[in-house]
Amino acid sequence: MANRRGSSSVPLPLLGGFAVFLAVIAYVVASSLARPVVPTFEPSAPRQPVPPSDSMVTDTVTVDASDGNVWRFLDLDRHALLTVPDTAGWDIAFRRYSLMTSGGALDLGADVAYDEVVRAPAGPYTFTVARRDTSNAALQRWYRYGLLTH
């Protein structure tokens, strides 16, 4: 009886699965190395408040909230960034990824575009609680972050 050497071949589905695995790994590595294009804006300087008017004002304010230890205060009525200690009349404060309001906030609970809200919804509103790490429960998850998409 002759000693027959069988040809060992790898099953085709196994090779296909391995190729898909390598492609996924290559995508994850490439996307982690690629720098996303993120628009940046110069922070608005604290300025003298603008007197309120009867007409609706469209304004853009860029707040430098990059310091995780410093709150930046914004007064929407006067269209002004306020600096400590003169923060009377503030409406929204920003600190890195945290937000708080001087009054109440309401989580609408669904993906609602800012432009779709034409009047203040009925409550119940959640008010900011002052403590070691001040926060407003309605604003704790105000943004969505994707690890792969940044």
Side-chain angles (χ1 to χ4, degrees):
M1 183 160 35
N3 192 359
R4 227 196 308 166
R5 265 191 150 167
S7 64
S8 63
S9 64
V10 180
L12 193 57
L14 184 61
L15 283 176
F18 186 67
V20 169
F21 172 76
L22 287 178
V24 168
I25 294 297
Y27 172 76
V28 169
V29 169
S31 63
S32 69
L33 296 175
R35 295 260 179 189
V37 177
V38 179
T40 58
F41 305 93
E42 287 297 317
S44 300
R47 59 185 169 132
Q48 292 297 342
V50 175
S53 66
D54 293 336
S55 64
M56 186 167 191
V57 175
T58 302
D59 197 5
T60 300
V61 178
T62 303
V63 179
D64 179 7
S66 59
D67 189 342
N69 297 316
V70 178
W71 284 100
R72 306 291 182 188
F73 299 90
L74 178 63
D75 183 340
L76 297 173
D77 294 330
R78 296 181 290 168
H79 312 284
L81 284 171
L82 306 175
T83 55
V84 175
D86 182 25
T87 58
W90 67 276
D91 295 300
I92 301 175
F94 307 87
R95 184 183 72 190
R96 192 77 172 150
Y97 305 111
S98 300
L99 292 175
M100 70 175 170
T101 58
S102 63
L106 177 68
D107 182 358
L108 296 178
D111 291 339
V112 177
Y114 180 77
D115 295 342
E116 291 177 11
V117 180
V118 293
R119 72 175 62 97
Y125 285 84
T126 305
F127 291 88
T128 300
V129 177
R131 55 182 169 209
R132 187 177 140 265
D133 190 20
T134 300
S135 66
N136 186 313
L139 300 174
Q140 286 181 346
R141 305 228 186 277
W142 64 272
Y143 65 95
R144 216 179 324 178
Y145 179 76
L147 185 61
L148 292 177
T149 59
H150 296 287

